[in-house]
Amino acid sequence: MDKRITKLLLSSVIIGTVLSLQSVEACSGFIIGKGLTKDGSTLYGRTEDYPYKHGDGTVAKQHTHNKNFIVNPAKDYEEGAMFEDISTGLTYPHLRHEFKYTSVSDDSRDTDEGIFDEHGFNEYGVSLTATLTATPRKDVLEVDPLVKNGLAEAGMTTLILPRVKTAREGVELLAKVIDEKGSAEGNNIMIADKNELWYMEIYSGHQYVAYKYPDDKFSIMPNTYFLGALNLSDTNNVIASKGIIETAKKAGSYKEVNGKFHLAASYAPKLDERNRSRQYAGIKLLNPQSSVTYQDEYYEFLQDTPRRDYTVADAIKIQRNRFETLSEGFIPDDEVPGYDFYNDNTPKDNVAALPEAERAKYKYAPGNENVVDPHIYQIRNDLPSELGGTMWLGLSRSRNTPYVPYFGHIKDTFKAYQVRGGDYNPDSWYWVADHIDKMVTEHKDLFGKTIKSNWEELEQILFAYQDKLINEYRGKSNDYVRANADSYTKQSMKIAETVFKIMKETEAKMEKAIEAKTPLKGNFVDISSIKDVTLYRTNKDNTSNGETNHTESSSQGNQYSNSYTYTNTYTNSSANVEEKKNDKVDTPKKSGWALENNHWVMYRGDEKVTGWFNQDGTWYYLDQNGSMQKWWIKDKGQWYFLNGSGAMETGWLLDQGKWYYLESSGAMKASQWFEVDGKWYYVNDSGELLVNTTTPDGYTVNENGEWV
């Protein structure tokens, strides 16, 4: 995406030609289906990219762009009130009541540049990111031109998110608006709720196709079109414009692959180098064994992989990717010798001036200098529908910026996210992150690549922290979400405040290093404060002194018997609380969760809990060293499954494409028939549900494993 693209495309409509946008298109997207992730969540995201003027590495200056993370409240409108996208002239009737939603918006949203709300969650747990700008084919636009005052990226999120309660409703509304008003741009959009994710491509003024994404694939999407041979009559999984085939035929671009109409072959322009390099790098990062080569004519949209353990950390690696894992030895083109940090055009010019053999090494990387808003959505179907999942936001350049998690029901954002203005501001999250990135890239002799490893260490703590929060909300009602919105908002503010403080301290340390010309090596970012905030988080019903005592007396068969009292928060050895008893100082007890050597442990007093452990109705298992366990474990001859948060699962479980059933005790059923909701199922000796086959005792089960 680039704010120039709308104006360029609109100009192209006026003069009847399509301008080449290769120099400004740069957004990159990805999707990882929930069948491929360790915790069963769908992962998707995008980097919003924007060419900018550079600073000098010590005082960021000459900038013209800023991003804000904000909450847009629900609003009521008078009958006849109209939404207007000033950048294009699009108008559309407001609803009488429109929903609250979060967004990461341009700070220039009040001007004729356009709103560019970009992405967010609404109050019904629907998330959307818009858009991956794509260049329509000239021959297609001769048949179905773009519409000057049609739907564009600048107003898309603002129009859709306040109006829909499901992802499908979002896609249907997008289709309706394009049918009625037309599209001003070629675009790709992703929209999801807790149950499904839809991917949509807009090819021309009125042609589009949306596709419900499967669970067992992954995709990497730069700025072009990717959908292949879809069954357009499958209305459960595909939503297509009426003229999608006819338009391609009239344009002379209609093509079939293996005897079937193929969307990308018919609507996508030839894959250019900037798109090729990013898509190839992403595919090989997630699946190094993939048979794709850099010379392939095109890459399939739906990619296979043997892995079933992707995490948010893998998603972040996609957005930070600088070709580190490729064997070809590619170098990001913003590292070309003689790169001038004051001139936007030097990467292209300097690369072109190199000998051909040398020039081929420099490619456009996913984690490039133009990234301003990298974001990842982690969507889970076991969370309340109004929560939906987590947004991981890495505002500013992904390569040297920390990612921080937020649930969608947040009521406000930290003040550093809301600072506006086009020049460096020390109180702005965006500009501080931007300045840190500039110092790293312009003083490699002092910082090398160390800042990224520092943020990765911080993110590991935030991953564990967010897993605990997810577990806290799992299986809860929407009423619970609403009741806890205020406390979670305050809590997220504290996390953001702490991370921003760490960023400011790091910025100052790096400035001093530049002044003294002294390298900073290793883990020079002090993350101790984030450990304190995340590990010892107070419960929502804490008393005024910040501590709450819970007494658990629970038993789940003899194996789970446990009775204990613990304090949910504690201050470690730096505690300033002392009590005099018999002229002696008592050392505070270490009651509660703690992260030690990247493993969660639970203290009862100063002793670690081992074995089965129940907290607020959720079971965990800690090994003989006190380390919280995840995934499959075997205890007393029975198999149990502990999710990514360490919580014991019950009921149906999908793991690596196989279904299992876990009893209320958590024990996996095996070699038996059992009944659920009036239907009978059979699992083999490994616990796998048999489907589309005959059971060992001669009964037939269908594709759902049901006895027929």
Side-chain angles (χ1 to χ4, degrees):
M1 188 283 302
D2 188 293
K3 303 325 186 260
R4 307 176 201 177
I5 290 177
T6 299
K7 297 184 183 298
L8 284 171
L9 281 173
L10 295 183
S11 298
S12 74
V13 174
I14 295 172
I15 65 177
T17 60
V18 178
L19 302 179
S20 172
L21 301 178
Q22 293 183 12
S23 63
V24 292
E25 290 182 354
C27 293
S28 299
F30 76 90
I31 305 172
I32 302 176
K34 63 185 178 183
L36 304 182
T37 60
K38 182 175 283 189
D39 65 356
S41 62
T42 298
L43 297 172
Y44 80 97
R46 180 173 66 92
T47 60
E48 177 195 353
D49 297 2
Y50 181 76
Y52 60 95
K53 293 182 179 180
H54 303 80
D56 65 0
T58 55
V59 179
K61 60 184 180 181
Q62 302 297 323
H63 288 83
T64 58
H65 196 63
N66 182 11
K67 301 293 296 187
N68 299 141
F69 174 34
I70 58 177
V71 176
N72 303 276
K75 291 184 180 179
D76 293 318
Y77 294 92
E78 297 291 335
E79 186 172 355
M82 301 292 286
F83 163 80
E84 181 179 7
D85 179 358
I86 299 176
S87 69
T88 65
L90 172 78
T91 60
Y92 206 79
H94 275 298
L95 300 180
R96 292 298 296 270
H97 176 77
E98 294 186 354
F99 311 139
K100 176 182 81 75
Y101 67 102
T102 64
S103 66
V104 177
S105 311
D106 280 14
D107 78 323
S108 58
R109 53 191 173 275
D110 300 327
T111 72
D112 63 0
E113 287 292 317
I115 303 170
F116 289 98
D117 272 343
E118 292 302 320
H119 63 97
F121 271 115
N122 74 11
E123 63 183 86
Y124 286 93
V126 179
S127 57
L128 176 151
T129 184
T131 68
L132 295 163
T133 304
T135 305
R137 288 176 54 137
K138 181 178 178 180
D139 49 4
V140 170
L141 293 187
E142 289 175 351
V143 175
D144 183 23
L146 297 171
V147 179
K148 179 180 178 181
N149 60 347
L151 183 65
E153 175 180 345
M156 193 175 294
T157 301
T158 320
L159 181 63
I160 302 300
L161 271 189
R163 299 165 179 259
V164 301
K165 295 183 178 181
T166 67
R168 187 182 182 100
E169 284 184 13
V171 171
E172 290 173 340
L173 178 56
L174 276 167
K176 182 174 184 291
V177 175
I178 295 170
D179 288 341
E180 296 174 355
K181 299 286 189 174
S183 177
E185 304 167 343
N187 276 318
N188 302 338
I189 303 99
M190 292 172 277
I191 182 167
D193 57 31
K194 65 175 287 184
N195 296 312
E196 58 190 30
L197 181 148
W198 285 78
Y199 169 77
M200 185 175 192
E201 297 185 341
I202 302 172
Y203 304 107
S204 60
H206 299 88
Q207 303 310 317
Y208 56 81
V209 172
Y211 175 57
K212 187 166 75 172
Y213 200 82
D215 295 340
D216 60 346
K217 304 291 183 181
F218 78 86
S219 297
I220 305 293
M221 302 92 68
N223 302 97
T224 189
Y225 302 116
F226 302 97
L227 290 174
L230 301 181
N231 180 4
L232 299 182
S233 63
D234 178 10
T235 55
N236 289 326
N237 297 296
V238 179
I239 297 173
S241 54
K242 292 181 180 179
I244 190 67
I245 295 177
E246 182 183 359
T247 298
K249 287 183 176 179
K250 286 183 178 179
S253 63
Y254 178 91
K255 288 187 180 179
E256 295 183 354
V257 175
N258 297 324
K260 295 181 180 180
F261 171 58
H262 195 282
L263 288 159
S266 301
Y267 279 98
K270 183 179 179 181
L271 192 64
D272 66 45
E273 281 297 303
R274 290 164 65 88
N275 289 330
R276 178 183 299 279
S277 61
R278 287 176 288 154
Q279 193 174 13
Y280 177 73
I283 292 172
K284 296 296 280 188
L285 174 71
L286 291 184
N287 183 12
Q289 286 74 45
S290 172
S291 60
V292 302
T293 72
Y294 191 77
Q295 290 74 32
D296 288 356
E297 181 180 359
Y298 67 92
Y299 301 110
E300 293 291 343
F301 176 58
L302 299 176
Q303 293 287 324
D304 293 307
T305 174
R307 286 187 59 180
R308 297 294 186 272
D309 61 349
Y310 294 113
T311 65
V312 175
D314 292 299
I316 293 174
K317 288 177 182 177
I318 298 172
Q319 297 188 334
R320 284 184 176 145
N321 190 305
R322 303 272 293 170
F323 305 136
E324 299 93 338
T325 61
L326 292 182
S327 60
E328 287 86 349
F330 293 154
I331 303 171
D333 61 9
D334 53 25
E335 294 184 9
V336 63
Y339 181 85
D340 182 352
F341 287 92
Y342 292 93
N343 186 334
D344 290 336
N345 296 319
T346 49
K348 177 182 177 181
D349 294 343
N350 285 9
V351 171
L354 294 172
E356 183 176 354
E358 187 72 12
R359 187 166 64 237
K361 295 181 181 179
Y362 291 94
K363 308 292 183 185
Y364 193 63
N368 62 76
E369 63 161 352
N370 296 324
V371 174
V372 294
D373 173 21
H375 51 273
I376 294 163
Y377 284 84
Q378 180 186 16
I379 308 300
R380 297 177 58 101
N381 61 11
D382 56 356
L383 291 175
S385 60
E386 293 183 11
L387 196 63
T390 303
M391 176 193 71
W392 292 85
L393 181 62
L395 204 60
S396 195
R397 247 59 65 196
S398 56
R399 58 192 180 187
N400 293 308
T401 301
Y403 284 70
V404 182
Y406 297 94
F407 283 140
H409 70 315
I410 191 172
K411 287 190 169 183
D412 199 2
T413 62
F414 181 55
K415 61 184 180 181
Y417 282 122
Q418 301 181 36
V419 177
R420 302 179 75 166
D423 294 300
Y424 172 81
N425 187 319
D427 298 322
S428 161
W429 190 295
Y430 178 86
W431 291 125
V432 169
D434 173 88
H435 189 203
I436 290 173
D437 177 81
K438 297 286 194 309
M439 289 189 287
V440 173
T441 57
E442 297 170 20
H443 297 276
K444 294 183 178 67
D445 56 328
L446 301 181
F447 308 119
K449 299 179 180 179
T450 55
I451 190 68
K452 185 175 77 167
S453 63
N454 281 262
W455 295 142
E456 287 173 343
E457 183 181 5
L458 182 147
E459 287 159 358
Q460 286 297 321
I461 296 171
L462 292 178
F463 294 153
Y465 164 78
Q466 190 66 13
D467 280 347
K468 288 179 65 179
L469 281 182
I470 288 171
N471 186 60
E472 182 179 308
Y473 279 91
R474 284 178 65 251
K476 298 294 195 301
S477 67
N478 287 323
D479 288 339
Y480 182 88
V481 172
R482 291 189 287 270
N484 284 273
D486 286 326
S487 61
Y488 173 73
T489 298
K490 292 178 182 178
Q491 178 182 315
S492 69
M493 293 272 206
K494 185 62 177 177
I495 293 293
E497 178 184 18
T498 305
V499 174
F500 188 62
K501 180 175 179 288
I502 293 171
M503 291 167 60
K504 290 285 294 177
E505 293 170 348
T506 303
E507 180 187 35
K509 189 179 295 186
M510 295 173 69
E511 287 175 331
K512 290 181 179 178
I514 292 172
E515 183 179 357
K517 298 182 180 180
T518 304
L520 293 178
K521 298 180 179 180
N523 293 340
F524 60 82
V525 176
D526 182 0
I527 63 172
S528 58
S529 57
I530 198 66
K531 293 180 180 179
D532 292 339
V533 173
T534 57
L535 298 186
Y536 318 126
R537 179 176 64 86
T538 58
N539 214 307
K540 67 181 178 64
D541 57 350
N542 282 353
T543 56
S544 59
N545 66 358
E547 294 187 352
T548 299
N549 291 330
H550 300 261
T551 301
E552 298 281 353
S553 225
S554 52
S555 60
Q556 189 168 353
N558 293 333
Q559 60 182 342
Y560 294 156
S561 62
N562 215 338
S563 180
Y564 64 92
T565 300
Y566 77 95
T567 302
N568 197 40
T569 66
Y570 75 94
T571 306
N572 59 16
S573 58
S574 64
N576 56 13
V577 179
E578 295 183 354
E579 293 185 18
K580 290 275 188 175
K581 292 183 179 178
N582 299 324
D583 296 324
K584 293 182 179 180
V585 177
D586 287 347
T587 303
K589 298 293 186 182
K590 284 187 176 182
S591 295
W593 288 104
L595 189 64
E596 296 181 357
N597 298 320
N598 291 323
H599 292 283
W600 284 102
V601 298
M602 166 58 73
Y603 279 98
R604 187 187 305 134
D606 285 328
E607 295 186 0
K608 293 180 181 178
V609 175
T610 60
W612 288 102
F613 160 77
N614 187 290
Q615 179 182 355
D616 298 332
T618 299
W619 286 99
Y620 302 84
Y621 187 83
L622 301 102
D623 68 13
Q624 60 185 2
N625 298 316
S627 296
M628 184 189 76
Q629 299 299 291
K630 300 180 184 180
W631 323 129
W632 289 105
I633 65 164
K634 194 171 188 179
D635 182 59
K636 298 182 179 178
Q638 296 282 352
W639 284 99
Y640 300 85
F641 189 87
L642 312 170
N643 65 25
S645 302
M648 185 190 76
E649 296 276 7
T650 61
W652 288 110
L653 171 73
L654 178 64
D655 181 49
Q656 298 191 37
K658 305 291 185 181
W659 284 100
Y660 302 83
Y661 194 83
L662 310 171
E663 299 174 1
S664 59
S665 66
M668 182 193 76
K669 288 184 177 295
S671 299
Q672 61 181 290
W673 285 95
F674 59 96
E675 185 181 11
V676 178
D677 296 332
K679 297 179 180 179
W680 285 90
Y681 303 87
Y682 186 85
V683 288
N684 64 18
D685 56 0
S686 298
E688 297 175 9
L689 177 71
L690 297 190
V691 296
N692 280 333
T693 189
T694 301
T695 63
D697 49 358
Y699 294 92
T700 301
V701 290
N702 64 16
E703 67 275 8
N704 297 318
E706 303 161 351
W707 171 44
V708 296

